[in-house]
Amino acid sequence: MKLSRHSDYALRAMIQLATSGDELVSIRHIAQTYGISHNHLMKIAQGLGRAGFIEPVRGRHGGLRLARPASEISLGALVRHTEGEDSLVDCTGCLIAPACGLPDVLAEAMQAFLAVLDGYRLSDIANRSHMLRALFDIPTSAGPSQNAADPVQCPAD
Amino acid sequence: MKLSRHSDYALRAMIQLATSGDELVSIRHIAQTYGISHNHLMKIAQGLGRAGFIEPVRGRHGGLRLARPASEISLGALVRHTEGEDSLVDCTGCLIAPACGLPDVLAEAMQAFLAVLDGYRLSDIANRSHMLRALFDIPTSAGPSQNAADPVQCPAD
DNA sequence: ACATTAGATGTATTCCATTTGAATGTATAG
DNA sequence: CTATACATTCAAATGGAATACATCTAATGT
């Protein structure tokens, strides 16, 4: 019972974009932040773009930004997109499928799971803005950090 | 977002055992019923036995039976056992872990998921007893089927 | 006692999905 | 025109799950 890394990375990227406000953030930058595969993140970003969560900007100083305010993006919608909504079990070819009550129960449980996520917005996750901005090394009006080009590296990696 | 086949098979086996009442059912028989791997099911049965869900009986006419009545076994406990209770995401090494609110939200959603399953018992799933007994080809007092040695085969397999 | 049956355990191999990597195309700012 | 960054496709690799094989232990019927 684990979220795929696909979902994991998508959520992380969205958090970073939410924290970065209107500024464009390149895929490369996000990948470097978390120390994850650049190519993989590209595909994830592609999917997020097609689904209307983010807006890609091409060209020299391009990058990604949220297509809508973080307060209007629910986590449920995100997870639904990255994980898919298909059933938890595959009953094709199961002998007892016609009499089995399991799929219904599992669907109900899944619905409860997503209902909780529907109750949270991206802005709720990224609410500790100052802490996150510091971790992302985003310069603020008060006091920008000394080296914005090379973001903090993950110590455990 | 799928249940592992491990969980799937465990649930199916438990349903068959619940439907079979006090009678012993061999692992081989269950495997043949669903057309799944005998050896794999053995390991799953092992785990179920160790966890106290089923009671294995060795020897010539041995087999498996439920350790407790089906009405006292909750689906939540079963899924918790087969899927494990660890977190949905692995945050070790994630840069923003200290400020990230995601794990809490996911844990809450997971809890809601399991809470639904906790509300159902194995007996609720196997409630259509007569249909299931027919599918499992279990002889009844009224009219036993003609060939109890060779159970019905899955048509789609 | 002995053979038979069924579960218990361990190892190894196969299989599949996810993840990653590489190469190429497309668009845009300067 | 060129450098940069996203878009797309294909192929390799990694890791976990599922399966197969081999062997052992325990209980039962003869």
Side-chain angles (χ1 to χ4, degrees):
Chain A
M1 202 71 177
K2 276 206 169 296
L3 249 55
S4 68
R5 224 167 281 206
H6 188 97
S7 295
D8 187 4
Y9 292 171
L11 286 167
R12 293 200 205 183
M14 290 297 282
I15 290 172
Q16 181 157 8
L17 291 180
T19 307
S20 299
D22 292 333
E23 287 179 50
L24 290 172
V25 183
S26 74
I27 292 178
R28 179 177 307 275
H29 186 109
I30 299 174
Q32 284 176 348
T33 297
Y34 296 109
I36 65 183
S37 160
H38 176 214
N39 303 69
H40 194 202
L41 189 56
M42 265 192 171
K43 275 167 231 167
I44 293 166
Q46 178 189 322
L48 289 172
R50 258 200 285 271
F53 289 113
I54 64 174
E55 180 190 346
V57 175
R58 309 173 86 147
R60 173 137 189 181
H61 288 108
L64 311 174
R65 74 161 77 94
L66 295 184
R68 289 172 288 153
S71 57
E72 293 179 15
I73 300 177
S74 86
L75 292 186
L78 266 172
V79 171
R80 254 183 269 263
H81 170 254
T82 56
E83 287 288 324
E85 274 198 88
D86 38 321
S87 166
L88 284 164
V89 288
D90 181 17
C91 296
T92 54
C94 177
L95 174 66
I96 63 169
C100 183
L102 193 56
D104 296 334
V105 173
L106 288 176
E108 183 187 339
M110 188 70 191
Q111 213 169 348
F113 177 84
L114 289 170
V116 170
L117 294 184
D118 281 330
Y120 288 96
R121 291 182 255 278
L122 187 58
S123 50
D124 297 325
I125 297 296
N127 55 355
R128 300 185 186 78
S129 314
H130 27 287
M131 280 185 69
L132 285 172
R133 290 179 73 88
L135 288 168
F136 286 137
D137 198 32
I138 300 172
T140 64
S141 51
S145 66
Q146 47 212 11
N147 191 356
D150 195 339
V152 230
Q153 290 302 318
C154 180
D157 218 276
Chain B
M1 201 71 177
K2 277 206 169 299
L3 247 55
S4 68
R5 225 166 282 203
H6 189 96
S7 296
D8 187 5
Y9 292 171
L11 287 167
R12 293 200 206 184
M14 291 296 283
I15 290 173
Q16 182 158 8
L17 292 179
T19 307
S20 299
D22 291 334
E23 288 179 50
L24 290 172
V25 184
S26 74
I27 291 180
R28 181 176 308 276
H29 186 106
I30 300 175
Q32 282 174 349
T33 298
Y34 296 110
I36 64 183
S37 160
H38 176 214
N39 300 68
H40 192 204
L41 190 56
M42 267 191 171
K43 277 172 218 162
I44 293 167
Q46 270 178 52
L48 289 173
R50 260 198 285 269
F53 289 113
I54 65 175
E55 180 189 348
V57 176
R58 309 174 84 149
R60 173 138 189 181
H61 287 110
L64 311 174
R65 75 162 74 94
L66 295 184
R68 288 171 290 151
S71 58
E72 293 180 15
I73 300 176
S74 84
L75 292 185
L78 267 172
V79 171
R80 255 182 269 263
H81 169 255
T82 56
E83 288 287 326
E85 276 197 87
D86 38 321
S87 168
L88 285 163
V89 288
D90 180 18
C91 297
T92 54
C94 177
L95 174 68
I96 63 169
C100 182
L102 193 56
D104 296 334
V105 173
L106 288 176
E108 184 187 339
M110 187 71 189
Q111 214 169 348
F113 177 83
L114 289 170
V116 170
L117 295 183
D118 281 330
Y120 287 96
R121 290 181 247 280
L122 187 56
S123 51
D124 298 325
I125 297 297
N127 53 355
R128 300 184 185 81
S129 315
H130 27 287
M131 280 185 69
L132 284 172
R133 288 179 75 87
L135 288 169
F136 286 135
D137 199 33
I138 299 172
T140 64
S141 52
S145 67
Q146 48 211 11
N147 190 356
D150 196 337
V152 228
Q153 290 302 319
C154 182
D157 219 277

